[in-house]
Amino acid sequence: MGVRFVFSPKWFYGIDCIFEIVSVIVLILLAWSTYRLYKFTKNKHHLYFGASFIALALGFIAKILTNVEIYYPEAIINTMGAKTVFTITAIIHSSIIFTAGYFFYRLFLLLGFLGLIFIITHSKEYRWIPLTVFFGFIITLFSTFAYYIFHITAAVLLFYVAYYLYKNWRKKKKKKIVPLLTFLSFLSLFISAIMFIFVIVNSYFYVLAEVLQFLGFLLLLIAYIILIRK
Amino acid sequence: MDIISDILVAIQRKGGIIKPTHLLYKANLSHKLMNSYLEELLGKELIGKVEKNNHQYIVIKDQGLDFLEKFNKLREFQDAFGL
């Protein structure tokens, strides 16, 4: 069925879900802004950019639902005989939900990051999209057996995004704060992805990774607020 | 979109009212091209025409100012990600 791990320390249960709910809200706000940009420019690249944010949001929603299921399992009915049967059924049911949930979390996140890279690098190599999606799918599949494959891949993709956003910030001569915040947010997400690789060593890496990830999305939210308040 | 924004900004910077010849110079467009853009902007009611002292002027309307504000915000969003 797939190996299941709970990386979070018990005291952090639910806090990561709250962090990710905020991340989902930020991603939806960005998708909405990108859609408004598309309505102005009619440039399909802007539409695909928004779709990438939606993919990331869907990935986090899958993770939130999966984690809620892990952290708050159904109470076991204390009936003689029925307890063992119910426990086994609950475990099998949980395992399916865990595997499916984390599969979609990883798949949507990889597709989202790939979409972001494709757009911000102004790539016109559309013929590579099916192959890229296929590799994303394969990596997601293998990550079911070795979780770190996903996080290594995510780190590499986020490195590219952060690098291009860094170059973009350097190009802007005036009003650098929003491009700077955008670059710093993805830099934080990149470092968070690196921390996720080591969660099996110590659960505090999971906490650190989640905090850095949350910080990344907070920086994006601050950038968004600065933009709309101007 | 950029040219439309440039035209509206040029009018805004002149206090919201400008002569067509000044606009031609500020927007750096040919006469024919500028007229076609002005027609589009008049059709969308982002600008208007007024007559003062026997001269015709182009004025930016409230809708034009709203458009410019939204456009600038979206442009900054675009710049943030290098789109």
Side-chain angles (χ1 to χ4, degrees):
Chain A
M1 188 61 64
V3 182
R4 170 181 168 163
F5 291 103
V6 176
F7 297 120
S8 171
K10 223 165 184 167
W11 58 267
F12 199 62
Y13 280 11
I15 298 174
D16 55 350
C17 294
I18 293 170
F19 283 176
E20 274 142 18
I21 287 169
V22 172
S23 306
V24 168
I25 292 169
V26 173
L27 289 164
I28 289 171
L29 286 172
L30 291 173
W32 171 243
S33 291
T34 321
Y35 176 69
R36 285 177 63 209
L37 179 65
Y38 163 71
K39 283 191 81 176
F40 246 79
T41 62
K42 306 292 181 211
N43 183 342
K44 284 226 166 103
H45 270 208
H46 297 153
L47 193 64
Y48 302 149
F49 198 61
S52 302
F53 286 127
I54 293 289
L56 293 174
L58 288 173
F60 280 114
I61 289 171
K63 189 183 177 200
I64 291 164
L65 293 175
T66 311
N67 281 349
V68 165
E69 185 273 331
I70 296 168
Y71 297 159
Y72 308 106
E74 287 172 331
I76 296 167
I77 301 165
N78 273 323
T79 310
M80 195 62 105
K83 182 176 173 181
T84 312
V85 174
F86 184 86
T87 309
I88 290 168
T89 310
I91 287 171
I92 292 170
H93 168 75
S94 290
S95 195
I96 292 167
I97 290 178
F98 174 83
T99 307
Y102 264 79
F103 176 84
F104 285 111
Y105 157 63
R106 289 167 180 151
L107 181 66
F108 280 125
L109 247 66
L110 284 183
L111 292 180
F113 292 146
L114 285 167
L116 290 182
I117 288 172
F118 189 79
I119 301 302
I120 64 173
T121 56
H122 303 280
S123 173
K124 288 183 172 43
E125 301 290 338
Y126 301 111
R127 62 203 164 114
W128 293 111
I129 292 174
L131 191 62
T132 311
V133 170
F134 171 73
F135 278 124
F137 183 79
I138 292 296
I139 286 164
T140 306
L141 210 55
F142 277 109
S143 299
T144 311
F145 309 104
Y147 78 96
Y148 49 83
I149 291 175
F150 164 74
H151 293 297
I152 290 171
T153 310
V156 169
L157 297 176
L158 284 165
F159 173 79
Y160 270 101
V161 176
Y163 174 67
Y164 272 99
L165 290 174
Y166 169 75
K167 277 176 46 174
N168 178 58
W169 167 56
R170 293 293 303 214
K171 257 199 295 188
K172 307 289 173 224
K173 290 189 174 60
K174 297 187 270 189
K175 295 179 187 174
K176 287 186 182 180
I177 188 74
V178 174
L180 173 62
L181 286 172
T182 313
F183 154 63
L184 289 175
S185 83
F186 277 89
L187 181 66
S188 186
L189 292 176
F190 160 66
I191 299 169
S192 141
I194 303 260
M195 293 297 116
F196 271 119
I197 296 168
F198 300 106
V199 292
I200 205 160
V201 171
N202 189 306
S203 61
Y204 282 94
F205 275 107
Y206 181 84
V207 175
L208 185 59
E210 283 284 338
V211 168
L212 284 170
Q213 184 179 268
F214 180 61
L215 175 67
F217 283 107
L218 264 186
L219 288 171
L220 271 178
L221 181 62
I222 292 168
Y224 179 81
I225 290 169
I226 290 173
L227 268 177
I228 60 169
R229 287 190 71 177
K230 276 188 178 177
Chain B
M1 265 313 147
D2 282 340
I3 295 174
I4 289 175
S5 158
D6 288 345
I7 291 171
L8 292 174
V9 165
I11 305 171
Q12 190 186 34
R13 281 186 181 158
K14 274 286 205 174
I17 184 165
I18 193 169
K19 281 186 181 172
T21 44
H22 288 177
L23 185 57
L24 192 66
Y25 169 72
K26 293 276 182 201
N28 198 24
L29 294 169
S30 69
H31 192 261
K32 190 178 175 185
L33 201 55
M34 195 190 80
N35 280 337
S36 84
Y37 277 111
L38 287 181
E39 263 177 49
E40 187 181 342
L41 291 170
L42 282 165
K44 288 182 175 156
E45 302 220 4
L46 302 183
I47 60 171
K49 281 184 177 172
V50 292
E51 205 163 302
K52 257 168 83 169
N53 305 325
N54 291 323
H55 290 289
Q56 212 173 54
Y57 290 83
I58 293 165
V59 291
I60 187 166
K61 289 186 170 181
D62 287 343
Q63 272 163 281
L65 291 169
D66 280 343
F67 174 91
L68 210 50
E69 195 185 324
K70 279 182 194 149
F71 181 81
N72 286 336
K73 281 186 185 168
L74 290 173
R75 175 92 74 92
E76 290 219 36
F77 179 83
Q78 197 176 348
D79 284 348
F81 289 96
L83 297 177

